[in-house]
Structure formats: C-alpha cells, structure tokens
Amino acid sequence: MKNKITALLNVHILSIIVVIIVIASCDSKNFVDKFLPGIPSIFLVHMIIVWTGAFDKALIVPEWYLSSMIICMLFMVPIFILSTKKLKGIYSTLILICIIALIAIITGLATKWAFNENIIYDIRAWGEMSIGMLSYYLSICLKKKSFGNCSIILFKIFEIIGYVVPVILGVIPINKNYEVYLMMVTMVFVFFAVTFTFAEKGNVIKSQKVNYVFGYLGAISLAIYLFHPVLITLIDYLDKDMPRWEKYVIVFPVTLILAFLYRIIADFLNKKIKESKEKKENKENKKEIEKKKEDINEENQKDKQNADNNIGSNENLV
C-alpha cells in the first residue's frame, strides 16, 4: 500500500508541476486567477469543497477521481472494517452501496435533485468503488463453483461483449444529454466482464508475453490518466481551433510515449535508490561487525591481561 501511495503521489506531483509551467508559460496574464482556485487540487482535497465549483477549477480536472477516492475511503474503510467483524465481505460491500444510495436520495430530496457537481462525482466514486468490491466478492463465489461447457461458453461471450461494448460507446459520437445513461450502461457491462475475468470463468490468456504486456499497461495506466489532460491543456493553448479528432490523434501516442519514458526513468531511479540503501546498510553492517570484532578483541586482551596478573600474583605468593 505504501508503494502504491508513493507511486500515485510521484505521478501527481510531476503532472501538477508540468501543468503549472504550461499555464505560466502560455497564459501568464491569467496565471494567478487560474492557479489560486486550483490550490486545493494540488493537495487532492478539492472534491471535499462541495459548495463551490472546485471540480472545474482544478489544475488537472480528471484528478477529481483521485480526490474523491481518497475522501470516500476515509469513511468507507472504517465502515467496512467494523462491519466485517460480524459480516462477510460481500454483505459489508452491500452495506456501503446502501449507504451511498441513501445519501444520494436524501441529498436529492433536500436539493430537489439539483445536485452540486462535486457531490455527484463523490457519490459516483463511492458507488464505483463499492461496485468494484462487489464484483470481486462475486468472482470469489463464482470461482468456487463448477459449471457446464455451455455456461462457460456463455461466460466467455459475455466477458468479451462486456469489454468491447464500453470501448465502442466511448468512441461513437453521442449526445451529451445521454452521457449519464451511457456511463450506467458501461458500468454494467464492465461489472460482469471483470467478474467473469477474476472468477477465471472467461477467456484465460496463457501467453506470458501477452500477460506481461497487459500487466505493463496496467503499471503505466496512472501516468496515462494524468499525463493526457496536461497535453490537452498545452494543445488548447497552442491551437484553440484544432479539431477534436486531431487533438486525440496527437495526445494518444504522445501520452503513451511519455508514460513509457516515465516508467523507465522511475524504475531506473528506484533501482538506484534501492542499491544506494543496500550499500548504506552493508556499510553500516560492516561497521557493526568491525566494532563487534574490536570489542571482542578488547575483551580477549582484558581477559589475557587479567589472567597474566593472576599468574603473577600467584607466583609472588609462592
């Protein structure tokens, strides 16, 4: 967990520094007006400010999910830990889903369903994490059960459909008014696809090379997630009238390249830091060993000297 948090903060800090440089270089006149409201986003706490438009004022807008995730986990983790002392994990997850549903209903009734944008995304983050946990526990249940060939074939078909449909929906042009419904449909498809995958009832990829590629893409996914909005910000300053499709054609490959480079550099630095720590530890261990040897030699010399003194005193007595 410590390594994951460190990796997250490293990418976040780097992205924030770069986007600040971009804004300062390309829009120096409005820099202060854009920087000051974005200060909470530097510390990933902007999604807790539910009474303002902190979502749009963040220096990197897609970081709303990281902020919402951290804020929600402050409540979700204690509730889950306490409930699992008496209940199974799947029931604790259902409790989390019920809690956020209740919060959404109460907030909706209190505001006449005019949700603040931050509250919407905080509810979404809580809900998505809870759904992910539910998928995990369902996959455990499915994994323990055996199914016939027909069922396994259906699982594999549904798994493929579950991954393909969201990609298609994300590419085709859809009216913005239907985005909420689009996200709900996407969540349902991904939920079942991920459940079948982790239950090992779907399509199992046995090739180590293919698994390594997907694993590596997962390792750089955070960098891709945070680097692409920085590139979009830069392009928007350089050419405001650039068509969206041209922007994506540029951003997609450049983001991948930057993410790969970041990963290579990060791995190299981590390796050097690890080697430096090991060298330091070895030196300290060597010093301790030498010190122990010196202490042993001193004790041996003292024992020898005491023995010589005893022999001398005995000779004098004789």
Side-chain angles (χ1 to χ4, degrees):
M1 181 60 72
K2 183 182 176 182
N3 292 334
K4 288 183 179 179
I5 294 171
T6 303
L8 186 152
L9 290 176
N10 288 341
V11 182
H12 162 68
I13 292 168
L14 177 61
S15 301
I16 286 291
I17 290 170
V18 174
V19 82
I20 288 172
I21 293 170
V22 169
I23 296 170
S25 303
C26 302
D27 194 10
S28 56
K29 291 181 180 179
N30 299 313
F31 175 75
V32 175
D33 294 333
K34 291 185 177 181
F35 176 74
L36 292 179
I39 288 176
S41 67
I42 295 175
F43 303 98
L44 294 174
V45 296
H46 54 293
M47 294 307 291
I48 204 170
I49 309 173
V50 296
W51 57 87
T52 67
F55 171 81
D56 291 324
K57 294 176 183 177
L59 294 173
I60 301 176
V61 174
E63 281 197 328
W64 72 266
Y65 191 80
L66 297 179
S67 178
S68 293
M69 179 184 70
I70 293 167
I71 292 164
C72 291
M73 284 178 69
L74 293 175
F75 301 95
M76 292 176 69
V77 172
I79 292 169
F80 184 81
I81 291 172
L82 289 172
S83 61
T84 47
K85 289 181 179 180
K86 299 263 176 119
L87 301 169
K88 290 182 178 180
I90 190 167
Y91 297 123
S92 298
T93 303
L94 290 172
I95 288 172
L96 291 174
I97 294 172
C98 291
I99 288 171
I100 199 59
L102 186 62
I103 291 171
I105 292 168
I106 292 171
T107 307
L109 293 172
T111 61
K112 295 181 180 180
W113 305 101
F115 288 98
N116 178 282
E117 197 169 33
N118 277 30
I119 295 175
I120 292 172
Y121 284 104
D122 287 337
I123 291 172
R124 176 183 163 186
W126 184 303
E128 287 180 356
M129 285 191 287
S130 300
I131 293 296
M133 293 166 67
L134 181 62
S135 173
Y136 168 73
Y137 284 110
L138 282 176
S139 69
I140 292 174
C141 295
L142 283 174
K143 193 173 183 179
K144 293 176 181 177
K145 295 183 177 182
S146 57
F147 297 91
N149 291 331
C150 291
S151 298
I152 295 296
I153 291 169
L154 286 174
F155 287 150
K156 291 181 178 182
I157 292 169
F158 286 138
E159 183 192 37
I160 294 169
I161 293 171
Y163 286 125
V164 172
V165 170
V167 174
I168 295 171
L169 293 176
V171 173
I172 60 175
I174 294 177
N175 192 310
K176 197 171 183 180
N177 296 326
Y178 299 107
E179 281 187 356
V180 176
Y181 305 105
L182 181 68
M183 284 191 290
M184 292 174 68
V185 171
T186 299
M187 188 167 64
V188 170
F189 276 99
V190 172
F191 173 80
F192 285 106
V194 171
T195 301
F196 294 143
T197 299
F198 282 97
E200 296 180 2
K201 303 298 182 185
N203 299 277
V204 179
I205 300 173
K206 296 180 180 180
S207 173
Q208 290 184 354
K209 291 181 180 179
V210 175
N211 286 325
Y212 175 79
V213 170
F214 281 108
Y216 195 83
L217 287 173
I220 65 171
S221 60
L222 180 64
I224 293 171
Y225 180 70
L226 295 185
F227 289 172
H228 87 270
V230 178
L231 282 171
I232 291 172
T233 302
L234 177 61
I235 291 171
D236 285 340
Y237 278 123
L238 297 176
D239 189 355
K240 294 180 181 179
D241 300 324
M242 181 182 288
R244 180 176 289 185
W245 69 269
E246 285 187 23
K247 194 184 296 182
Y248 290 161
V249 167
I250 295 170
V251 169
F252 181 72
V254 174
T255 301
L256 280 177
I257 292 167
L258 290 175
F260 281 127
L261 289 173
Y262 171 80
R263 181 71 184 183
I264 291 167
I265 294 168
D267 288 343
F268 175 77
L269 291 175
N270 288 331
K271 185 180 177 181
K272 290 297 178 183
I273 291 168
K274 187 178 179 180
E275 289 176 355
S276 178
K277 285 182 179 179
E278 287 176 353
K279 285 181 181 179
K280 189 177 180 181
E281 288 175 0
N282 290 334
K283 283 182 180 179
E284 289 176 354
N285 292 334
K286 194 174 180 180
K287 285 181 180 179
E288 287 181 6
I289 292 168
E290 289 177 354
K291 190 178 180 182
K292 284 181 181 179
K293 284 181 179 179
E294 289 176 359
D295 293 338
I296 291 168
N297 288 333
E298 286 180 5
E299 288 179 4
N300 290 335
Q301 287 178 359
K302 285 181 181 179
D303 292 339
K304 187 178 179 182
Q305 189 174 359
N306 291 332
D308 291 341
N309 291 333
N310 290 332
I311 291 169
S313 60
N314 290 333
E315 287 177 353
N316 289 333
L317 288 172
V318 172

